[in-house]
Amino acid sequence: MIKGLLRFIVAIIFILSGFVKAVDLVGFSFKMEEYFEPSVFDMPFFVKFALLFSIIVVVLELWLGFMLLLKFKLKFTLSALIALCVFFGFLTFYSAYFNVVTDCGCFGDAIKFTPWESFVKDIVLLVGLLILFVLYRKEWNKKDDYSSSTKPRNNKFPSIAFGLFSGIMIFIMAQGLINEPIIDFRDYKIGTDLKAEKVKINKNPSEYKTFYSLKNSKTGEVLKVNQDDYINQTKYWEEGSPWKIEEDKNESKLMKQGYKSEIAKFKIEDPTGIDLTDEIINAPKAILVFSYHPKEVSADLLKKVEAKVNTDKTAVVYGISTIPTTFKTIKNAMMDGTAIKTIARSNPFVLTLQNGKIVDKQPAKNYVD
């Protein structure tokens, strides 16, 4: 009873974790890319394979989780899940200890975990898997729970269930890769009112405080001093003070969590730095063409997208990317690349707003068809 319940809980956690990532494989691949950046493992060569790695990880989570649920090839399944959990545990510990990847994407955009929360979750799962390994060790002599060592039974249920499950998951993953996620867990889902979200954010903003790293040039002592103490205590900054700020070691810490929304990062500027955000979210209609990797966009596709958006004379139209010369016949605007990836799951991508509310979003190739 206890081991069956524990097996069910652990299996469901892996299946759910794999499912929310399977829905949005491109989004999970963006998280994988962060691990290959210079500030983390410094392996830029693997960035191009981030999507492939994401698919492998998700498939392993889904298949192994479902096999555990069915008690199918239990020794192999538990061994593989333990290895997978150790791998995830290493990544989340590294992220938490060195504070490099602030969201591992363990449950996609559905549930957000801090790095330390992700690490604790992996440790708890690992302990659960080890307990299951010990509890089920007496069954290793069986081929699986649907066959007997003395009299083989023709039970096709696990194979049929596994095949059906795999087919459904493949469809869901393909839908997210070709079009848009079949279930959108992001803050930028259709129906989101960007204007209303901005109001909520402004009414309840998060509060941060800067902590300066100060080094005494005479003694070599190093202190962490918050911005208020630094200003109020003249010994840190008066003329002749031995205390010097170590610029690259200053930290900004969250003191009060305000209204949490990815819409806080929705800030669009023209190439000269003028903020266009209010103009866009207050327009009766706005069509925005996003590109997070403008150099990789097909010139022919970009030409077709621009031609189509230019036919709508009632809309405010902008092409938004990380390069100020990406678009040729529509106005160029700039946005942080990470923020664009939060909105767009294809490159390029078209977002339509009406009075600041998202009414349509789709890959550019679908938009022009």
Side-chain angles (χ1 to χ4, degrees):
M1 176 64 181
I2 295 177
K3 67 180 182 180
L5 179 60
L6 179 60
R7 177 177 54 81
F8 177 82
I9 292 172
V10 172
I12 291 299
I13 290 174
F14 274 102
I15 293 171
L16 288 178
S17 175
F19 175 78
V20 295
K21 291 196 284 286
V23 166
D24 187 9
L25 278 170
V26 176
F28 182 51
S29 74
F30 292 153
K31 288 295 176 187
M32 293 289 285
E33 288 178 8
E34 292 184 38
Y35 284 102
F36 302 132
E37 290 180 353
S39 60
V40 188
F41 293 119
D42 194 16
M43 295 187 292
F45 172 77
F46 288 106
V47 169
K48 66 178 74 173
F49 301 109
L51 182 57
L52 175 61
F53 291 149
S54 300
I55 293 172
I56 292 171
V57 168
V58 169
V59 167
L60 284 174
E61 277 193 296
L62 287 170
W63 283 0
L64 292 172
F66 198 68
M67 288 169 69
L68 180 61
L69 188 66
L70 293 175
K71 291 179 64 179
F72 188 56
K73 297 189 180 299
L74 205 52
K75 184 177 181 179
F76 165 79
T77 300
L78 284 170
S79 300
L81 282 173
I82 288 170
L84 192 65
C85 218
V86 169
F87 172 71
F88 282 146
F90 166 73
L91 289 183
T92 53
F93 174 78
Y94 190 94
S95 300
Y97 187 79
F98 292 102
N99 194 31
V100 282
V101 180
T102 56
D103 176 17
C104 70
C106 302
F107 284 86
D109 289 296
I111 304 173
K112 299 289 187 179
F113 283 105
T114 66
W116 282 117
E117 287 172 344
S118 298
F119 175 67
V120 171
K121 180 263 299 177
D122 289 332
I123 294 301
V124 170
L125 280 176
L126 180 59
V127 171
L129 287 167
L130 290 172
I131 292 172
L132 286 173
F133 194 93
V134 172
L135 291 177
Y136 279 102
R137 69 189 184 279
K138 293 181 180 179
E139 300 188 22
W140 293 161
N141 62 323
K142 297 180 182 179
K143 185 176 180 181
D144 55 52
D145 274 18
Y146 297 93
S147 62
S148 170
S149 57
T150 58
K151 186 177 179 181
R153 291 188 298 174
N154 185 23
N155 194 328
K156 296 182 179 180
F157 171 74
S159 298
I160 294 173
F162 188 76
L164 183 62
F165 176 78
S166 298
I168 294 171
M169 290 301 105
I170 289 171
F171 171 77
I172 289 172
M173 288 188 282
Q175 174 68 22
L177 289 171
I178 298 171
N179 300 303
E180 271 281 282
I182 200 166
I183 302 174
D184 197 344
F185 294 107
R186 291 167 291 170
D187 290 341
Y188 288 97
K189 60 178 67 71
I190 290 178
T192 298
D193 190 330
L194 303 185
K195 195 189 304 184
E197 288 293 294
K198 286 285 187 181
V199 170
K200 293 177 183 177
I201 293 166
N202 292 333
K203 283 184 176 180
N204 185 19
S206 295
E207 295 178 6
Y208 294 85
K209 185 169 287 189
T210 299
F211 284 76
Y212 297 112
S213 178
L214 304 178
K215 186 172 183 178
N216 192 305
S217 57
K218 293 181 179 178
T219 65
E221 182 184 1
V222 176
L223 292 177
K224 283 285 186 182
V225 179
N226 71 60
Q227 60 192 50
D228 297 330
D229 290 340
Y230 178 79
I231 293 171
N232 294 331
Q233 298 184 39
T234 58
K235 66 178 181 179
Y236 293 129
W237 51 264
E238 65 186 354
E239 187 176 351
S241 172
W243 294 102
K244 306 299 179 185
I245 295 178
E246 298 181 293
E247 295 292 348
D248 58 336
K249 296 184 179 180
N250 297 331
E251 296 179 355
S252 180
K253 294 185 179 181
L254 178 66
M255 307 306 292
K256 172 184 169 291
Q257 181 63 63
Y259 180 73
K260 293 182 70 174
S261 172
E262 288 294 331
I263 310 303
K265 300 173 185 176
F266 187 83
K267 183 179 181 181
I268 300 171
E269 299 176 336
D270 76 358
T272 66
I274 297 175
D275 195 336
L276 304 171
T277 309
D278 286 343
E279 174 194 345
I280 290 169
I281 64 177
N282 287 307
K285 184 177 183 181
I287 301 176
L288 309 176
V289 183
F290 290 93
S291 176
Y292 49 79
H293 286 319
K295 292 182 178 179
E296 298 177 6
V297 177
S298 160
D300 182 59
L301 177 57
L302 207 57
K303 184 178 179 180
K304 289 179 180 178
V305 174
E306 292 188 44
K308 182 165 182 178
V309 297
N310 278 326
T311 61
D312 194 331
K313 304 301 181 183
T314 65
V316 170
V317 176
Y318 281 102
I320 303 161
S321 71
T322 55
I323 300 175
T325 56
T326 299
F327 302 91
K328 309 306 178 186
T329 62
I330 60 178
K331 295 178 182 177
N332 278 276
M334 306 288 291
M335 193 175 190
D336 175 72
T338 302
I340 293 176
K341 288 179 178 179
T342 305
I343 300 168
R345 288 301 193 246
S346 61
N347 183 42
F349 187 85
V350 181
L351 186 76
T352 304
L353 306 177
Q354 286 184 357
N355 295 308
K357 180 178 286 188
I358 299 174
V359 294
D360 187 50
K361 49 188 286 192
Q362 54 184 310
K365 57 182 173 53
N366 293 355
Y367 180 77
V368 299
D369 287 343

